[in-house]
């Protein structure tokens, strides 16, 4: 409702300014005042026009208000302060609009977006930092789909990278295993109910330490072995590559199972091995050379390399650009950025090549496909997107900027403008959380705000361990409160609370904030947490259970004149109710804000504020004992719209709404 009325007022103001002053303005600034005393919408446009019109802002505001006239959905307009224009909504009309608001996705926009998220190296178990990536990406997918966009979800698998090579070195050198031995290990672990991703977690840490445990000469030899192993994997067709394929595929399946616990799904898993073996880079290299983005360096430290000039560098003709970005090294190997350029040309449908496709992982309502050199004849179409969002941590700022620069240099301006780096900061642990997970914390770290984790050192929280511990803690609360429910119900409720707590904790911080994860903070039923919002839903459902009615029935009774009068009630008695309706009416406005800024935290904050206002309303108004029938209907309708919006907003955050807590 808020977004619709905001757009209506903006269009009306543009028309008035054109007619009165012959001004054509593309955007009219519209704000939500901090207090309802100043109305529901406000604009400082008069201040912006003061210099152009050579008039005082207050005079302009008075002239504009006089020219606005009546506007459907608005009760009136007024001048405030030195030149603000405040708009007051027609409350009865607003209540009817909000009550009639539907749920589910908006009509199709015709936009095809691609969101790449998670992208965990398939060399060990997923950890708490990966959860932030996956939850951010999955939530943004939900927001785009709610806005009517077609969205493909991709999870890039670097199955030929150095992290996989390190685990393969561990199997070959530290454990002396052949490909046949690795196959047997996988079978043995499966039969015992043990996990390959956990096994590799420990092996990866051991291998990382092994590179540094010998003499200087030994360590240098071990590092050479590391890169020799990497090249064997990239080349393919040998036992080393076979082990890498076995391990990376088995670990990848475990990653997908872990994310499914959080209701996170994917459509396509592009692998780096196919990008290499299907020669994506060759096609991209030709385009880059033809467009002049790359040039061959003949002097200086980058001699023999194909390089790309960085943005903002100024090189005199004939000079060597020492700051140029190397895309192809002098030995002919392609850098990460080069392979990423090729991959993104495919994403936008600009490469002229495609993957082979094979079904890999089945979800209840669709199949997740994986790249292959030779795949199925019939498969869904992937790639060719109009907008791309890459959920990658902030350490990748520079490579992502180089990618956009290359697209722009090749003449793909629109694609460059719609290639978005959805960056985020790292996840750490509070000292209390580290202790609860069984880690030793140094005395000097006990007072630190957070402790950083390191997969190479084996210090970190595995995603499944974290989820299990959250469920266990939630289960203790549920068992104490829900003694009348059976085992299956209590287990399900505990899972909903735990997953809701985890997802909300990862979403409530803006992306550029470092998160210090803490069990107690995440699971609290008080404060800005997922369980607090879920409990507001349970509380609202209990109202209708006790009243013997449904939210839908009460919203349907809002047409009577008496109820309209109650909706229009001014003064303290009606302000808190109207504020709750207004909050419920902001869903589409917040959705647009989240998408335009790539910031899901705004929706998390909206959900919390909605729960707060509902809880205040619940404590202030005695709904079930209200004796005035019309007023009781209006109070029930208010609870109904709050319940509907809480459930809808939580679903867009990927959080379920339990029946009980």
């Amino acid at each position: 409702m808020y977004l619709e009325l905001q757009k209506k007022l903006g269009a009306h103001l543009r028309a008035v300014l054109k007619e009165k002053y012959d001004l054509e303005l593309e955007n009219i600034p519209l704000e939500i005042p901090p207090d309802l005393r100043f109305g529901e919408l406000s604009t400082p446009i008069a201040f912006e026009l003061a210099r152009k019109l050579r008039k005082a802002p207050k005079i302009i505001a008075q002239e504009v208000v006089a020219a606005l006239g009546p506007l459907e959905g608005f009760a009136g307009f007024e001048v405030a302060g030195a030149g603000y224009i405040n708009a007051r909504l027609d409350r009865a009309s607003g209540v009817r609009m909000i009550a009639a608001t539907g749920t589910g996705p908006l009509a199709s926009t015709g936009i095809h977006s691609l969101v790449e998220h998670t992208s965990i190296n398939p060399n060990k178990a997923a950890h708490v930092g990966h959860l932030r990536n996956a939850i951010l990406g999955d939530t943004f997918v939900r927001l785009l789909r709610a806005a009517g966009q077609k969205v493909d979800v991709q999870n890039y698998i670097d199955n030929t990278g150095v992290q996989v090579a390190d685990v393969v070195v561990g199997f070959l050198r530290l454990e002396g295993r052949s490909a046949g031995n690795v196959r047997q290990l996988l079978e043995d672990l499966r039969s015992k109910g043990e996990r390959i991703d956990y096994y590799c977690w420990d092996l990866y840490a051991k291998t990382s330490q092994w590179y540094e445990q010998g003499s200087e000469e030994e360590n240098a030899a071990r590092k050479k072995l590391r890169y020799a192993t990497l090249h064997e994997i990239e080349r393919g067709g040998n036992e080393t590559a076979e082990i890498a394929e076995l391990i990376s595929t088995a670990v990848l399946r475990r990653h997908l199972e872990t994310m499914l616990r959080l209701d996170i799904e994917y459509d396509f898993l592009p692998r780096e091995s196919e990008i290499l073996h299907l020669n994506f880079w060759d096609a991209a290299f030709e385009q880059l050379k033809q467009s002049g983005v790359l040039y061959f360096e003949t002097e200086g430290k980058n001699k023999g390399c194909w390089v790309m000039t960085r943005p903002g560098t100024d090189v005199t003709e004939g000079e060597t650009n020492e700051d140029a970005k190397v895309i192809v090294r002098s030995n002919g190997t392609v850098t990460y950025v080069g392979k990423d350029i090729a991959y993104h040309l495919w994403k936008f449908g600009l490469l002229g090549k495609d993957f082979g496709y094979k079904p890999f992982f089945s979800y209840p309502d669709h199949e997740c496909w994986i790249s292959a050199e030779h795949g199925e004849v019939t498969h869904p179409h992937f790639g060719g997107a109009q907008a791309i969002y890459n959920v990658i941590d902030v350490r990748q700022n520079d490579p992502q900027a180089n990618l956009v620069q290359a697209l722009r240099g090749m003449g793909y301006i629109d694609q460059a403008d719609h290639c978005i780096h959805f960056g985020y900061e790292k996840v750490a642990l509070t000292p209390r959380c580290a202790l609860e997970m069984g880690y030793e914390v140094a005395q000097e770290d006990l007072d630190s705000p957070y402790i950083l984790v390191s997969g190479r050192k084996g210090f970190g929280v595995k995603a499944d361990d974290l989820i299990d511990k959250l469920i266990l803690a939630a289960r203790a609360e549920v068992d104490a409160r829900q003694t009348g429910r059976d085992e299956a119900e209590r287990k399900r409720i505990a899972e909903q609370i735990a997953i809701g707590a985890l997802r909300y904790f990862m979403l409530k911080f803006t992306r550029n904030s470092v998160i210090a994860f803490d069990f107690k903070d995440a699971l609290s039923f008080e404060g800005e947490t997922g369980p607090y919002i879920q409990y507001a839903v349970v509380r609202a459902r209990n109202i209708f259970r006790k009243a013997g009615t449904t939210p839908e029935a009460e919203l349907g009774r809002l047409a009577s004149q008496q109820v309209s009068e109650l909706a229009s009630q001014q003064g303290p008695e009606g302000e808190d109710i109207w504020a709750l309706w207004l909050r419920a009416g902001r869903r589409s406005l917040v959705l647009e804000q989240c998408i335009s800024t790539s910031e899901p935290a705004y929706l998390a904050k909206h959900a919390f504020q909605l729960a707060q206002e509902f809880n205040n309303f619940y404590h202030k108004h005695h709904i079930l004992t209200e004796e005035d029938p019309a007023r009781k209907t209006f109070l029930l309708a208010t609870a109904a719209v709050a319940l509907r919006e809480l459930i809808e907003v939580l679903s867009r955050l990927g959080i379920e709404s339990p029946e009980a807590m």
Side-chain angles (χ1 to χ4, degrees), residues 112-117 119 152 154 156 270 280 340-351 353 355 381-392 400 403 415 419-420:
H112 176 200
S113 294
L114 189 158
V115 178
E116 179 193 320
H117 68 78
S119 304
D152 286 340
Q154 297 194 1
Y156 182 80
F280 275 28
D340 210 31
I341 292 169
Y343 174 40
H344 280 77
L345 288 172
W346 171 84
K347 282 185 178 182
F348 280 119
L350 302 170
L351 187 65
K353 282 181 171 288
F355 293 103
H381 174 70
F382 298 106
Q386 296 162 291
I388 291 170
Y389 298 89
N390 294 320
V391 185
I392 311 175
Q400 288 290 301
L403 164 64
Q415 288 83 355
C419 187
I420 311 300

Side-chain angles (χ1 to χ4, degrees), residues 294-326:
L294 293 187
Y295 66 91
F296 188 73
E297 186 60 82
T298 58
E299 301 292 340
K301 69 175 184 179
N302 294 329
K303 182 179 179 180
C305 300
W306 285 90
V307 299
M308 178 174 70
T309 303
R310 294 177 185 270
T313 55
D314 186 17
V315 182
T316 305
E317 187 175 352
E319 289 186 356
T320 300
N321 183 3
E322 297 291 339
D323 290 326
K325 178 65 181 177
V326 174

Side-chain angles (χ1 to χ4, degrees), residues 104-342:
L106 302 176
S108 174
T109 61
I111 297 174
H112 176 200
S113 294
L114 189 158
V115 178
E116 179 193 320
H117 68 78
T118 308
S119 304
I120 309 171
N121 291 315
N123 69 319
K124 65 180 187 306
H127 59 61
V128 64
H130 298 135
L131 291 180
R132 186 177 196 185
N133 183 307
I135 290 169
L136 278 169
D138 176 68
T139 302
F140 199 66
V141 167
R142 293 168 187 266
L143 299 181
L144 293 175
R145 286 175 174 165
Q149 296 191 26
K150 177 186 182 298
V151 186
D152 286 340
V153 187
Q154 297 194 1
N155 178 357
Y156 182 80
I157 310 302
D158 185 1
N159 61 332
T160 64
V162 69
Q163 288 83 3
V164 171
D166 285 345
V167 171
V168 173
V169 168
F171 280 115
L172 287 170
R173 292 300 298 268
L174 272 65
E175 298 190 346
R177 294 183 187 273
S178 64
N181 295 148
V182 171
R183 277 202 189 84
Q184 187 60 52
L185 172 68
L186 291 172
E187 186 58 42
D188 291 345
L189 291 174
R190 212 167 11 245
S191 66
K192 292 187 287 187
E194 296 178 5
R195 303 172 45 153
I196 183 60
D197 56 334
Y198 277 32
Y199 187 96
C200 289
W201 176 285
D202 295 332
L203 182 58
Y204 177 65
K206 288 176 186 175
T207 307
S208 298
Q209 293 158 16
W210 178 71
Y211 288 135
E212 301 171 355
Q213 286 175 340
S215 65
E216 186 175 336
E217 185 178 342
E218 286 173 328
N219 290 344
R222 290 170 182 179
K223 291 293 175 65
K224 284 185 179 179
L225 172 63
R226 178 194 214 184
Y227 289 106
T229 303
L230 176 63
H231 294 320
E232 288 280 292
I233 293 170
E234 288 180 341
R235 188 162 56 250
N238 52 69
E239 186 174 31
T240 300
E242 184 181 355
I243 293 173
E245 170 71 11
L246 287 168
I247 294 303
S248 63
T249 302
V251 171
L252 172 58
R253 286 192 181 277
R254 285 295 312 127
H255 289 168
L256 300 187
E257 290 165 2
T258 297
M259 296 307 164
L260 191 54
R261 299 181 72 184
L262 303 174
D263 198 24
I264 296 173
E265 302 178 355
Y266 309 91
D267 298 312
F268 179 48
L269 310 170
R271 295 188 296 183
E272 180 153 326
S273 54
E274 276 70 55
I275 289 178
L276 291 171
H277 299 153
L278 293 172
N279 302 315
F280 275 28
W281 167 247
D282 292 346
F285 193 26
E286 288 305 312
Q287 288 196 45
L288 287 162
K289 287 188 291 185
Q290 288 173 14
S291 61
V293 172
L294 293 187
Y295 66 91
F296 188 73
E297 186 60 82
T298 58
E299 301 292 340
K301 69 175 184 179
N302 294 329
K303 182 179 179 180
C305 300
W306 285 90
V307 299
M308 178 174 70
T309 303
R310 294 177 185 270
T313 55
D314 186 17
V315 182
T316 305
E317 187 175 352
E319 289 186 356
T320 300
N321 183 3
E322 297 291 339
D323 290 326
K325 178 65 181 177
V326 174
I327 302 300
V328 183
R329 301 181 185 94
S330 57
N331 64 4
T333 59
V334 184
T335 63
Y336 168 83
V337 173
K339 288 182 280 189
D340 210 31
I341 292 169

